Amino acid sequence: MKKEPMMTERSDMDLPDGGKSYKLVAEGAESTVVAEYEPDHGRETAYQSEADLEEGLLRILESQGYERLSAHTELELIANLRTQLEKLNDVRFTDNEWSHFFHEVIASSTAGIEDKTRLIQEDNIQILNRDDGTTKNIRLIDKVHVHSNRLQVLHQFEEEGGSHPTRYDVTILVNGLPLVQIELKRRGVAIKEAFNQINRYQRDSFWAGSGLYEYAQIFIISNGTHTKYYSNTTRFKHIHEMEGRPAAGRSQKSSDSFEFTSWWADGRNHVIADLTGFARTFLARHTLLNILTRYCVFTAEHDLLVMRPYQIAATERILNRILISEYDPKRLGTPEAGGYVWHTTGSGKTLTSFKTAQLASNMDGVDKVLFVVDRKDLDYQTIKEYERFKKGAVNSNKSTKVLAEQLASPDAKIIVTTIQKLSSFIRSNPKHDVYAQHVVLIFDECHRSQFGEMHTAITKHSKNYHLFGFTGTPIFAVNAKTGGSPNLRTTGQAFGDCLHSYTVVDAIKDGNVLPFRIGYVDTVRRKEGIRDEQVYGIDAAKALSDPRRVSAVTSYVLDHFDQKTKRQSSYILKDRRVRGFNSLFAADSIGMAKQYYAEFQRQQAERGGEPLKIALIYSFAPNEADPGEQGFIDDEDFETAGLDQSSRDFLGAAICDYNRMFGSSFSTASDQFENYYKDLCLRLKNRDLDMAIVVNMLLTGFDATTLNTLWVDKNLKQHGLMQAFSRTNRILNSVKTFGNIVCFRDLRQEVDDALALFGDKDAKGTVVLKPYAEYLAAYNEKISQLLKRFPLGEEIVGEQAQKDFLTLFGSILRLRNILQAFDDFSNEDVLSLRDLQDYQSMYIDLYQQRRSHEEADKEIINDDVVFEAELVKQIEVNIDYILELVAKYHDGHMEDKSILADISRTIMSSPDLRSKKDLIDSFVESLSSGADVQRDWKEYIVRKKQEEFERIVSEEHLKTGLAEQFIIDCFKEGYVDTDGTRIVSMLPPVSRFAPSNAYELMKSRVVERFRQYFDRFVGM
């Protein structure tokens, strides 16, 4: 392992313009991320059991200064916690003091995971009320002197108090609190099984007893060969996605699934996957304590984010530049005091800059930290995040008055503002005290077109400053514009050295962003006999804007919209189930955008049915028609006054359409247009809007995880192309496997050039999905194996054969998920839809059978099979489709029994409809020849819902009024809320002669019956 030296050092990475990037050191003697990790070259050859793997990890941790703790009961764990806190705080608790502190602060009965996370991340100093009437501050974790914290390791701790007895592999305790939980699987077992097992722990036992294991901040999963980490947030969202409803109970959180687990790496972005290397780096005392105390962010949405290694490395290299300038003031105000961070679009630059600003503001000698964004990017989310760590930090009004007040106030250490307001302030205040202060300026997306003027103004007025920039697409000599100052054309000229890089290849390799699937659609063909070749991109403006071509492109989008945006898929988004994703349509000019909007409106009206919700947005961009800059994305402001009257009137009409869709009242007036932009962005993020037609707006800096498709009828190149494409490749869940790019112009060469510039010469194979033919061949091979080994109609006998089937069909589902985005697949799928349904039924049957065995045996039997729940759900049908089949059966005089078979087969292939099968079967049997299917179904469901509710109330002797209100609230909120006293209040009294656990058993039984009732009738 190489530690970063306390000096500037050249790296081995050449930049595209022939320059060099630089490695810089972290603040302090030991950087959190090692500069370069060199693994041991000697390899063990003997078989390694899970126990051997665990013992090897324990030995490494002990050699790194961890104390091995022996504790077998919760009482021993609590006694150790008391001892560790006494040592950390140099205090001795009396029994009375400890009892009050433990039960009121650490193990409060009302505290959930969110509260416990806040205690570690924000409120780590708590007040102890002493017996003598005095008070004392008690630190749960020391964030100032991190090496004062005491690390212990505990293994195979048994928790008997949960739903099932549970044994945890390895727990790392910090000052006696279990802040890191490690789950191990033997080599050869899928790492995702360790992730699944931690999910079971959360469901069955983390909450048990005093709930100390709910303090876990970081989870580590490993099979020896591969090791990953993630935050407590990631775990809870995955569980709730699998349940298909929002979180309930004490563990109510939201976050992301297995796709958000992270690799650890060195400063060169080389992944450290093996458990041994991971333990020697990530679990080194100073690294783990730095991550827990400095590099976690508890967000405004109460999610815990643990920074990735490249984010930490970039942060520390910026802090180091600031630190060095403290000892060498001559660097201040020069490029040597600054630099830029090249982290690819979508890799989390905002989080990195957020933490950098926070830590820099706490450094000695730093007077102000200014985080500067473009006005379009200073949206609701940015304001909310920055308000989290500095109330009043965001200057979000339309004047520079507040900015001037903040710059003059010694209390305003962190200020978030826009390029526009900062420029206005400098023009209006040529002499101000802030120019003499030690100021750190951090520019988000530092290639904004206004930056050149800003840079000149800053360097003219200020002397003691650091200038840092973040960008996903740096400007090098090869992709620089020709205008402006020749000394400020590249990112390096403006900011100085590249302090850290993390390219699109790195991000896709690590799974931090998705690859792209790029398709090219031929829209213009030459007449026969001119030249025998396909023509994709025709530069002639007349041909490209021809109404016939615009009509053909629009028709293609409407025909393929559901396919490209995966509208057959469903998933949970912000506590509601939605189908598929949404998209942007990039038009080449305002004129083309207007044409497309009108054509979409016309064709949708002609087609009838439920129309797509489409919005239009553009504003004046001064260089829109500059042919020398074609392919670059010019900044659009919120000014509509520069538009010609026709374009402004058209936009106004489109906004009126938007207002009718959503009940809003926006317009093109200057005070309304910015609010229209913000509302449109929010509706895209919430998937309320299906598509936005844009010219330049939203193609840079806008993030929405629900976007998966970009329709491109626009010339793009280099950083403009990468910025636009990257709107689609944010990770959301396992259904969204790539960013979908549909090009109506030939951008093949431009794509290759951009990937070579911003990735490396081999980038294309990593960044763009493999050709369709390769996926199809792999799919067909697996289908052949499926049909040969597991023919329909034959029982799958034996546990190993069942595991093999689950594994094989799971891989088929994953391949289908990718192939369904290709236009040709529907005609070339060798597996019929009926066979797919039958195999899916077998798949669900076997999974549920294995789950029932798990419940009966209290054993984890799912360690080597990953059930693709999300991928099963994306090809399921809903109750409306079933009713269509029922109506078809009815209209055929109830004689076609094959329809009944289709209904049964469809229900059994759907995880969500299985619980409703007897309801549907009973309804079909009750049909009469004169029935109105839709009306009778509604009446039938109302009746059955009331009957089954009354049965539960009667059999459990519940209080009717309270039970009725409870179940009404459950369907309103979308889940069964078992938190609080609502369940308890409706239960009948228990005889004093009943067994001691009778009340808990009754409560559990009632909760389970209501959950089954809810699952049965939800969506009906």
Side-chain angles (χ1 to χ4, degrees):
M1 260 184 296
K2 294 181 182 178
K3 292 179 182 176
E4 301 257 8
M6 286 296 292
M7 61 192 299
T8 301
E9 177 186 68
R10 286 187 182 276
S11 77
D12 297 329
M13 192 190 76
D14 293 321
L15 297 179
D17 59 359
K20 295 281 185 180
S21 71
Y22 288 80
K23 278 194 257 184
L24 289 179
V25 297
E27 182 185 1
E30 294 180 315
S31 58
T32 305
V33 178
V34 297
E36 182 178 349
Y37 177 73
E38 296 176 354
D40 294 334
H41 295 293
R43 285 184 54 83
E44 297 288 339
T45 57
Y47 175 85
Q48 186 181 46
S49 66
E50 186 177 316
D52 294 336
L53 185 69
E54 181 178 301
E55 183 57 34
L57 172 62
L58 294 171
R59 286 198 299 269
I60 292 174
L61 296 182
E62 284 187 288
S63 72
Q64 295 178 171
Y66 289 68
E67 173 195 350
R68 191 185 292 210
L69 176 68
S70 177
H72 304 288
T73 67
E74 187 180 54
L75 287 177
E76 291 176 329
L77 210 57
I78 294 170
N80 176 68
L81 172 61
R82 175 177 177 172
T83 300
Q84 298 303 313
L85 289 179
E86 287 178 338
K87 290 178 179 178
L88 177 67
N89 292 281
D90 191 23
V91 66
R92 290 297 297 270
F93 298 106
T94 68
D95 289 345
N96 182 57
E97 288 169 351
W98 173 249
S99 178
H100 280 285
F101 188 78
F102 180 77
H103 291 103
E104 293 173 10
V105 176
I106 295 175
S108 168
S109 60
T110 60
I113 289 152
E114 176 185 307
D115 306 293
K116 292 172 181 177
T117 301
R118 185 178 291 107
L119 277 177
I120 299 301
Q121 297 300 327
E122 295 181 344
D123 303 332
N124 58 301
I125 300 176
Q126 291 291 308
I127 296 175
L128 170 68
N129 294 306
R130 310 219 63 172
D131 290 344
D132 61 7
T134 62
T135 59
K136 180 175 175 60
N137 286 340
I138 299 296
R139 291 163 296 167
L140 301 181
I141 186 169
D142 193 332
K143 295 195 171 189
V144 178
H145 308 98
V146 294
H147 288 289
S148 298
N149 298 293
R150 298 169 182 271
L151 297 180
Q152 296 170 298
V153 59
L154 173 68
H155 73 111
Q156 297 301 315
F157 180 78
E158 293 187 55
E159 175 55 71
E160 300 287 345
S163 303
H164 307 296
T166 305
R167 189 194 298 264
Y168 307 134
D169 283 353
V170 178
T171 305
I172 292 175
L173 300 104
V174 182
N175 307 322
L177 287 168
L179 299 190
V180 181
Q181 180 61 36
I182 305 172
E183 178 60 28
L184 302 174
K185 295 296 173 188
R186 62 175 171 79
R187 295 181 189 271
V189 174
I191 189 177
K192 192 171 182 180
E193 290 315 310
F195 181 87
N196 293 341
Q197 185 140 332
I198 287 179
N199 292 346
R200 292 188 282 270
Y201 291 159
Q202 186 276 334
R203 183 186 65 224
D204 294 343
S205 61
F206 277 159
W207 46 264
S210 300
L212 290 181
Y213 270 83
E214 289 188 318
Y215 274 97
Q217 305 290 286
I218 296 174
F219 297 90
I220 296 168
I221 52 176
S222 179
N223 60 5
T225 306
H226 295 139
T227 308
K228 302 187 82 174
Y229 70 99
Y230 55 99
S231 73
N232 60 14
T233 287
T234 299
R235 188 184 77 231
F236 297 121
K237 172 60 182 297
H238 182 76
I239 292 165
H240 303 139
E241 279 184 352
M242 295 302 97
E243 291 176 348
R245 56 177 175 262
R250 294 207 310 167
S251 300
Q252 184 163 348
K253 295 280 289 181
S254 68
S255 72
D256 303 292
S257 59
F258 180 74
E259 283 67 32
F260 277 76
T261 57
S262 296
W263 300 103
W264 188 244
D266 64 16
R268 303 173 305 158
N269 304 319
H270 290 179
V271 169
I272 305 171
D274 188 83
L275 181 60
T276 299
F278 185 92
R280 289 176 178 168
T281 53
F282 186 95
L283 294 178
R285 281 179 57 89
H286 71 280
T287 296
L288 181 61
L289 290 172
N290 277 350
I291 290 170
L292 285 169
T293 59
R294 292 165 64 87
Y295 297 118
C296 288
V297 176
F298 194 47
T299 72
E301 286 78 25
H302 313 299
D303 291 334
L304 181 66
L305 308 179
V306 182
M307 293 177 71
R308 295 165 177 157
Y310 60 88
Q311 295 174 312
I312 297 172
T315 298
E316 292 191 335
R317 291 176 183 185
I318 289 176
L319 297 179
N320 182 256
R321 282 249 157 154
I322 299 171
L323 184 67
I324 290 174
S325 297
E326 283 292 300
Y327 297 99
D328 186 4
K330 290 185 292 185
R331 291 173 175 258
L332 288 170
T334 72
E336 288 183 311
Y340 70 95
V341 171
W342 170 13
H343 283 182
T344 193
T345 304
S347 61
K349 293 189 299 298
T350 300
L351 174 62
T352 311
S353 57
F354 168 97
K355 179 54 72 171
T356 300
Q358 186 182 45
L359 294 175
S361 70
N362 293 325
M363 294 178 69
D364 291 339
V366 173
D367 296 309
K368 302 280 183 192
V369 176
L370 269 71
F371 186 74
V372 187
V373 300
D374 183 70
R375 181 162 63 189
K376 294 196 297 294
D377 300 327
L378 194 61
D379 61 6
Y380 175 73
Q381 290 297 322
T382 307
I383 294 169
K384 195 172 180 182
E385 288 300 333
Y386 276 82
E387 286 284 284
R388 271 289 293 106
F389 66 88
K390 185 64 177 179
K391 190 68 176 174
V394 179
N395 173 40
S396 56
N397 59 36
K398 295 186 178 301
S399 73
T400 59
K401 181 181 178 182
V402 173
L403 175 59
E405 291 172 353
Q406 291 174 327
L407 290 171
S409 170
D411 297 326
K413 290 274 286 186
I414 302 174
I415 300 169
V416 182
T417 189
T418 65
I419 292 175
Q420 295 84 354
K421 291 184 181 66
L422 187 55
S423 296
S424 176
F425 168 82
I426 293 174
R427 285 195 304 270
S428 304
N429 298 271
K431 295 180 180 180
H432 194 279
D433 292 343
V434 74
Y435 299 137
Q437 293 180 344
H438 187 179
V439 177
V440 177
L441 294 106
I442 301 173
F443 282 80
D444 187 35
E445 292 301 344
C446 58
H447 54 67
R448 297 296 191 196
S449 62
Q450 303 98 322
F451 179 71
E453 299 172 13
M454 169 68 63
H455 185 277
T456 302
I458 289 171
T459 55
K460 178 180 178 182
H461 291 86
S462 298
K463 301 300 176 188
N464 301 318
Y465 65 86
H466 303 269
L467 207 57
F468 297 107
F470 282 82
T471 181
T473 50
I475 305 299
F476 302 111
V478 67
N479 64 317
K481 291 188 177 183
T482 55
S485 169
N487 297 320
L488 291 176
R489 286 180 182 165
T490 70
T491 307
Q493 285 178 313
F495 288 92
D497 303 329
C498 177
L499 303 183
H500 191 263
S501 65
Y502 186 76
T503 69
V504 63
V505 176
D506 295 321
I508 291 175
K509 173 173 57 71
D510 292 347
N512 290 327
V513 298
L514 300 172
F516 300 112
R517 189 264 163 173
I518 305 174
Y520 297 92
V521 179
D522 184 0
T523 60
V524 179
R525 294 182 184 274
R526 295 185 187 275
K527 292 181 180 179
E528 290 184 14
I530 294 181
R531 203 163 56 177
D532 186 19
E533 64 178 8
Q534 290 180 304
V535 180
Y536 293 94
I538 302 296
D539 288 333
K542 181 178 282 190
L544 292 169
S545 61
D546 188 291
R548 292 169 296 177
R549 177 180 177 275
V550 170
S551 176
V553 170
T554 303
S555 180
Y556 180 92
V557 172
L558 292 175
D559 289 344
H560 294 82
F561 189 89
D562 287 358
Q563 173 203 6
K564 300 297 184 184
T565 60
K566 290 180 174 280
R567 289 303 171 96
Q568 78 278 18
S569 312
S570 67
Y571 56 92
I572 295 295
L573 178 71
K574 296 183 179 179
D575 297 346
R576 64 190 178 100
R577 182 166 287 280
V578 298
R579 289 199 166 269
F581 309 105
N582 48 14
S583 68
L584 294 177
F585 188 105
D588 198 48
S589 65
I590 290 175
M592 290 287 286
K594 289 158 57 179
Q595 272 187 275
Y596 275 116
Y597 184 80
E599 186 63 19
F600 274 109
Q601 298 293 90
R602 186 188 69 79
Q603 288 198 23
Q604 289 205 108
E606 282 183 359
R607 293 180 180 220
E610 184 69 23
L612 297 177
K613 290 183 171 67
I614 299 175
L616 173 69
I617 190 166
Y618 55 75
S619 67
F620 179 69
N623 298 316
E624 181 192 348
D626 183 353
E629 307 296 353
Q630 273 193 323
F632 293 96
I633 298 175
D634 285 309
D635 293 334
E636 288 180 280
D637 213 323
F638 294 119
E639 298 302 325
T640 54
L643 295 171
D644 62 74
Q645 193 60 46
S646 171
S647 296
R648 183 164 179 168
D649 290 345
F650 191 97
L651 181 59
I655 293 176
C656 286
D657 294 340
Y658 182 93
N659 292 335
R660 281 191 290 273
M661 272 194 293
F662 299 112
S664 50
S665 56
F666 304 113
S667 71
T668 60
S670 58
D671 59 337
Q672 283 289 312
F673 184 69
E674 185 171 348
N675 291 328
Y676 170 61
Y677 168 87
K678 291 178 179 179
D679 192 75
L680 186 151
C681 289
L682 192 59
R683 292 193 185 279
L684 279 172
K685 291 178 180 182
N686 292 337
R687 221 205 62 63
D688 298 328
L689 197 59
D690 295 309
M691 185 169 73
I693 298 174
V694 303
V695 180
N696 292 332
M697 273 187 166
L698 306 182
L699 295 182
T700 63
F702 172 69
D703 291 338
T705 56
T706 59
L707 277 173
N708 86 318
T709 299
L710 175 69
W711 315 91
V712 184
D713 191 18
K714 182 181 183 71
N715 292 330
L716 294 168
K717 63 182 179 181
Q718 295 169 346
H719 66 277
L721 181 146
M722 290 301 297
Q723 286 278 346
F725 281 20
S726 295
R727 299 312 102 208
T728 66
N729 72 337
R730 304 301 197 272
I731 293 172
L732 178 62
N733 53 31
S734 62
V735 177
K736 184 181 176 183
T737 50
F738 50 82
N740 221 353
I741 312 297
V742 181
C743 296
F744 299 107
R745 302 189 182 199
D746 185 9
L747 302 179
R748 287 175 175 81
Q749 189 60 52
E750 287 78 5
V751 169
D752 290 348
D753 291 345
L755 295 181
L757 181 64
F758 297 114
D760 58 37
K761 58 183 173 58
D762 299 317
K764 186 176 180 182
T766 304
V767 178
V768 181
L769 288 183
K770 291 183 290 187
Y772 166 71
E774 291 186 32
Y775 287 112
L776 185 65
Y779 175 78
N780 289 341
E781 173 61 28
K782 291 190 180 297
I783 293 295
S784 176
Q785 294 175 29
L786 180 74
L787 298 174
K788 183 176 181 181
R789 284 200 62 190
F790 308 107
L792 289 169
E794 293 187 14
E795 184 180 1
I796 302 175
V797 180
E799 184 175 348
Q800 188 56 53
Q802 292 174 355
K803 289 181 179 178
D804 291 346
F805 170 76
L806 288 172
T807 301
L808 177 60
F809 194 71
S811 64
I812 288 171
L813 287 174
R814 290 191 294 273
L815 281 168
R816 280 184 65 86
N817 187 41
I818 294 173
L819 284 164
Q820 283 172 331
F822 291 90
D823 297 345
D824 297 334
F825 180 63
S826 60
N827 297 322
E828 297 183 13
D829 188 358
V830 295
L831 190 68
S832 71
L833 289 178
R834 177 162 294 190
D835 286 352
L836 175 64
Q837 284 184 319
D838 288 339
Y839 276 117
Q840 189 169 327
S841 297
M842 293 166 59
Y843 188 65
I844 301 168
D845 284 339
L846 283 176
Y847 176 72
Q848 292 182 342
Q849 179 182 324
R850 290 168 67 81
R851 292 282 297 176
S852 64
H853 289 168
E854 175 185 336
E855 293 297 319
D857 300 338
K858 306 277 194 295
E859 292 286 337
I860 303 301
I861 51 79
N862 196 29
D863 285 351
D864 49 359
V865 176
V866 177
F867 183 66
E868 299 292 346
E870 285 181 317
L871 300 186
V872 170
K873 290 196 173 200
Q874 74 154 318
I875 52 177
E876 72 180 36
V877 294
N878 57 23
I879 195 67
D880 294 332
Y881 177 71
I882 296 295
L883 289 179
E884 287 178 15
L885 291 177
V886 173
K888 183 178 178 183
Y889 172 68
H890 171 265
D891 294 344
H893 307 290
M894 296 177 287
E895 295 177 355
D896 188 350
K897 301 304 180 184
S898 67
I899 298 178
L900 293 180
D902 284 343
I903 292 172
S904 178
R905 181 181 291 107
T906 303
I907 293 171
M908 294 307 290
S909 69
S910 167
D912 286 347
L913 290 181
R914 282 185 165 215
S915 63
K916 314 175 196 300
K917 185 176 188 303
D918 65 306
L919 282 173
I920 298 168
D921 289 346
S922 176
F923 174 69
V924 172
E925 290 174 5
S926 71
L927 281 177
S928 62
S929 58
D932 181 325
V933 172
Q934 290 290 340
R935 185 199 64 206
D936 290 357
W937 169 256
K938 290 177 182 177
E939 293 174 354
Y940 169 79
I941 287 300
V942 169
R943 185 174 69 253
K944 296 297 289 184
K945 193 175 179 182
Q946 185 63 28
E947 288 174 0
E948 296 193 18
F949 172 75
E950 290 175 353
R951 186 181 307 123
I952 295 172
V953 170
S954 173
E955 292 174 357
E956 298 294 347
H957 307 290
L958 305 179
K959 297 172 184 174
T960 305
L962 294 174
E964 281 181 351
Q965 189 57 52
F966 173 77
I967 205 66
I968 288 170
D969 291 343
C970 288
F971 282 104
K972 186 185 299 181
E973 294 164 4
Y975 65 99
V976 177
D977 184 3
T978 59
D979 200 7
T981 60
R982 295 203 293 176
I983 291 285
V984 174
S985 64
M986 72 177 74
L987 297 179
V990 176
S991 169
R992 57 195 177 95
F993 299 108
S996 59
N997 65 340
Y999 194 77
E1000 282 303 316
L1001 288 174
M1002 178 172 60
K1003 179 183 175 183
S1004 298
R1005 185 177 65 250
V1006 170
V1007 167
E1008 184 57 30
R1009 290 192 71 173
F1010 273 135
R1011 278 182 173 157
Q1012 290 177 2
Y1013 176 83
F1014 176 84
D1015 289 341
R1016 191 165 162 78
F1017 288 101
V1018 69
M1020 299 287 271

CSV table of all heavy atoms in Angstrom, one decimal, residues 7 102 144 269 363 440:
chain,number,residue,atom,x,y,z
A,7,MET,N,3.0,16.2,-0.2
A,7,MET,CA,3.5,17.1,-1.2
A,7,MET,C,2.8,16.8,-2.6
A,7,MET,O,2.1,15.8,-2.7
A,7,MET,CB,5.0,16.9,-1.4
A,7,MET,CG,5.4,15.4,-1.8
A,7,MET,SD,7.1,15.0,-1.7
A,7,MET,CE,7.8,16.2,-2.8
A,102,PHE,N,-29.4,5.4,29.3
A,102,PHE,CA,-29.5,4.3,28.4
A,102,PHE,C,-31.0,4.2,27.9
A,102,PHE,O,-31.2,4.2,26.7
A,102,PHE,CB,-29.2,3.0,29.0
A,102,PHE,CG,-29.3,1.8,28.1
A,102,PHE,CD1,-28.4,1.5,27.1
A,102,PHE,CD2,-30.4,0.9,28.2
A,102,PHE,CE1,-28.5,0.5,26.2
A,102,PHE,CE2,-30.6,-0.1,27.3
A,102,PHE,CZ,-29.6,-0.4,26.3
A,144,VAL,N,-14.1,14.9,16.6
A,144,VAL,CA,-13.0,15.9,16.6
A,144,VAL,C,-11.7,15.1,16.7
A,144,VAL,O,-10.8,15.2,15.9
A,144,VAL,CB,-13.1,16.9,17.7
A,144,VAL,CG1,-11.9,17.9,17.7
A,144,VAL,CG2,-14.4,17.7,17.5
A,269,ASN,N,-8.7,4.5,-8.6
A,269,ASN,CA,-10.0,3.9,-8.9
A,269,ASN,C,-9.9,2.4,-9.2
A,269,ASN,O,-10.8,1.9,-9.9
A,269,ASN,CB,-10.7,4.6,-10.1
A,269,ASN,CG,-10.8,6.1,-9.9
A,269,ASN,OD1,-11.2,6.5,-8.8
A,269,ASN,ND2,-10.5,6.9,-10.9
A,363,MET,N,-12.3,24.6,8.4
A,363,MET,CA,-10.8,24.7,8.5
A,363,MET,C,-10.3,26.0,9.1
A,363,MET,O,-10.9,27.0,8.8
A,363,MET,CB,-10.2,24.4,7.1
A,363,MET,CG,-10.4,23.0,6.6
A,363,MET,SD,-9.7,22.8,4.9
A,363,MET,CE,-8.0,22.8,5.3
A,440,VAL,N,-12.9,30.3,-0.3
A,440,VAL,CA,-12.9,29.2,-1.1
A,440,VAL,C,-14.1,29.2,-2.0
A,440,VAL,O,-15.2,29.3,-1.5
A,440,VAL,CB,-12.9,27.9,-0.3
A,440,VAL,CG1,-13.0,26.6,-1.2
A,440,VAL,CG2,-11.7,27.8,0.7
